[in-house]
Amino acid sequence: MNQKQSIIDQYEKMNSVEISPEWNDQLFSKIRLKEETLQKSNAPIYAVAGVLILFLVNVFMVYNNVHLLKSNNLKAKYNAVATTFFIQTSSSKF
């Protein structure tokens, strides 16, 4: 308890600190400059990331379309073979 009281007494004896308006202005200008620098440096990164994501989505869509087209062509060929050899009894190859 005695140590707590001495700390409280020391706090009460301390002089109050007055912050000058110039110090505030300099602090806010540094903060503003730092924010502007971060915004300027992050903008190209976001743009490149967005373009990269769109490119990957487009590549995926093209791949799916090509894969779907190939599978449809194979299905059509298999159906033609099945129809010719197995299903039609009037076929000359049956």
Side-chain angles (χ1 to χ4, degrees):
M1 186 71 176
N2 204 6
Q3 184 181 10
K4 184 177 177 182
Q5 188 61 35
S6 69
I7 292 173
I8 293 173
D9 289 340
Q10 286 178 2
Y11 176 75
E12 289 175 353
K13 290 178 185 176
M14 289 175 60
N15 294 332
S16 63
V17 177
E18 294 291 329
I19 299 175
S20 68
E22 292 120 11
W23 189 85
N24 266 345
D25 292 340
Q26 289 176 356
L27 176 66
F28 286 125
S29 66
K30 285 182 181 181
I31 292 171
R32 199 173 318 114
L33 180 65
K34 185 70 171 175
E35 287 175 351
E36 289 172 358
T37 305
L38 286 174
Q39 288 174 353
K40 288 179 184 176
S41 66
N42 287 342
I45 293 171
Y46 291 137
V48 169
V51 168
L52 184 63
I53 289 170
L54 289 175
F55 176 74
L56 292 175
V57 167
N58 284 333
V59 166
F60 179 72
M61 295 299 290
V62 167
Y63 173 77
N64 277 344
N65 287 339
V66 168
H67 181 70
L68 184 64
L69 182 64
K70 284 182 180 179
S71 66
N72 284 342
N73 285 340
L74 285 175
K75 284 180 187 177
K77 287 179 184 179
Y78 288 142
N79 283 337
V81 169
T83 304
T84 304
F85 289 108
F86 302 117
I87 296 173
Q88 291 181 355
T89 58
S90 62
S91 172
S92 62
K93 298 178 184 175
F94 184 69

